[in-house]
Amino acid sequence: MNIDILLGLQWGDEGKGKVVDALSPVYDVVARFQGGPNAGHSLEFNNVKHVLHLIPSGIFHPEKLNIIGNGVVIDPAVFKKEIEELGPPVSELTKRLIISTRANLILPGHRILDAAYECNKGAAKIGSTLKGIGPAYTDKTSRNGLRAGDILRKDFRELYDKHLKRHLTILKSYDFRFDLQEYEKGWFEGIEMLKNFRIVNTEYLVNELSAKGSKILAEGAQGTMLDVDFGSYPFVTSSNTISAGACTGLGISPKLAGEIFGIFKAYCTRVGSGPFPTELFDETGNILRNTGKEFGSTTGRPRRCGWLDLPALKYSIMINGVTKLFMTKADVMSGFKTIKICSSYKVDGKECREIPFNNDSIIEPVYTEMVGWNDNISEIKEFDKLPQALKKFIEFIEYQTGVPVTMVSVGPDREETIFRNI
Ligand code: GDP
Ligand code: IMO
Ligand code: MG
């Protein structure tokens, strides 16, 4: 039971990158298990902000091993750019990062198809990050994928051409202009960058390290409400973002899972389309967006903001089997005289416990109002020193969910993290 899983409980951007980085000192290995360059995981230390897309958030700790698991989809062009922007030389990073042979590649055709599909959707756009995620996972499950382990094959170029031909055939039915050469150049340069790294059957490595007693942290991307099965389909991503995804995305048995850390913001945000019951369209929403700097780490898009949604949070806790809750961005909520929490839903006018499976129902949030807090809390280092009103807010969440809040993040920096032993 030495593989802990950390994942988002809302619509992504809960602060996974920051918290994984802050937790890394107590782990030997950090392993990403799903998603791809649609993720944007930010972390800050020494007054510098870093945004990671494909690379696990333990990478800045030189003595830790980072793994990109089989469940991740890799765009070699994004990978190369990210490696080059990290800081340490490639020769150093190759010691810290290992990639699964079985991780599927995002091909230039996938990115173009993603854009063509979105363009064709008219008003029903998903709001995809357009990184090629959907088409890459589609090819994976329809058994048409190219994988990281394939790049060393002698016939790799022929295989690539075969996939490209197939993508171009599909694209013929779309009235969509694209510049393939521009994508291809960066992509093949990325393939050369990937060749510097160890590409191995990481499922053996993870299981062997676990058997030897190494402590492993599985890092999720996106959030439970964007899960392809349990999110607000079709306004979701294309992978299983939930704790079960860590098993399939790393090749581990559920028996090995230890703690399941569920991370959530003290309010909610969402980028892209889809239902968001507690969304605020007023000045309060603007305050949360501006104070919380709620602009996408990957696309720069303004994030939609709203109050904390407990029915959604409870659903996520249930699906994931969360053992400990981590709350971020409590500092952003400072300054409101009163704050609201959605404690239940009215679905089509009736009190309802469940999240509807489709998006046709009218969901009306039922709010509980609480007293806010005013203090600047970012300098606080101990849980007990947090404002009384914030502690009451946390108590209410714990009471409603039945899960303890064991970490409170009070700022973007690695140091602005309060762990609580309960
Ligand atoms: P991720 O995708 O879950 O890793 O989250 P993102 O990095 O996309 O978005 C979270 C944003 O909030 C980033 O800009 C972080 O630097 C920032 N952040 C994380 N935790 C806190 C916090 O407790 N307070 C504040 N003010 N910002 C935070
Ligand atoms: P992190 O890991 C927030 C959203 C997109 C879109 C939908 C589908 O940083 O939390 P996709 O590109 O996967 O086809 O987009 O999912 N989305 C995210 N929203 N954070 C993310 O990742 C996201 N990754 C995808 O905005 O609505
Ligand atoms: Mg993000």
Side-chain angles (χ1 to χ4, degrees), residues 379-387 391 417-419:
E379 311 258 293
I380 297 178
K381 300 280 174 224
E382 288 162 51
F383 187 86
D384 286 343
K385 302 225 163 97
L386 288 172
K391 284 197 266 187
T417 316
I418 303 172
F419 291 99

Side-chain angles (χ1 to χ4, degrees), residues 3 72 79 96 126 255 266 268 321:
I3 305 185
V72 175
F79 179 79
R96 295 187 208 172
I126 306 291
K255 284 191 293 188
C268 285

Side-chain angles (χ1 to χ4, degrees), residues 311 343-356 361-364 366:
S343 41
S344 63
Y345 287 163
K346 270 191 179 161
V347 177
D348 296 327
K350 287 194 204 111
E351 196 84 26
C352 185
R353 204 173 70 81
E354 298 191 358
I355 310 251
S361 309
I362 297 172
I363 300 182
E364 218 184 304
V366 179

Side-chain angles (χ1 to χ4, degrees), residues 146-162:
L146 256 187
R147 301 185 292 175
D150 293 325
I151 68 172
L152 298 174
R153 285 172 60 147
K154 284 208 182 74
D155 59 350
F156 179 67
R157 180 70 213 210
E158 286 155 50
L159 283 173
Y160 170 82
D161 287 339
K162 204 177 91 193

Side-chain angles (χ1 to χ4, degrees), residues 12-16 38-42 296-298 303:
D13 303 329
E14 297 90 349
K16 299 175 290 293
N38 49 351
H41 294 184
S42 326
S297 309
T298 298
R303 294 175 182 150

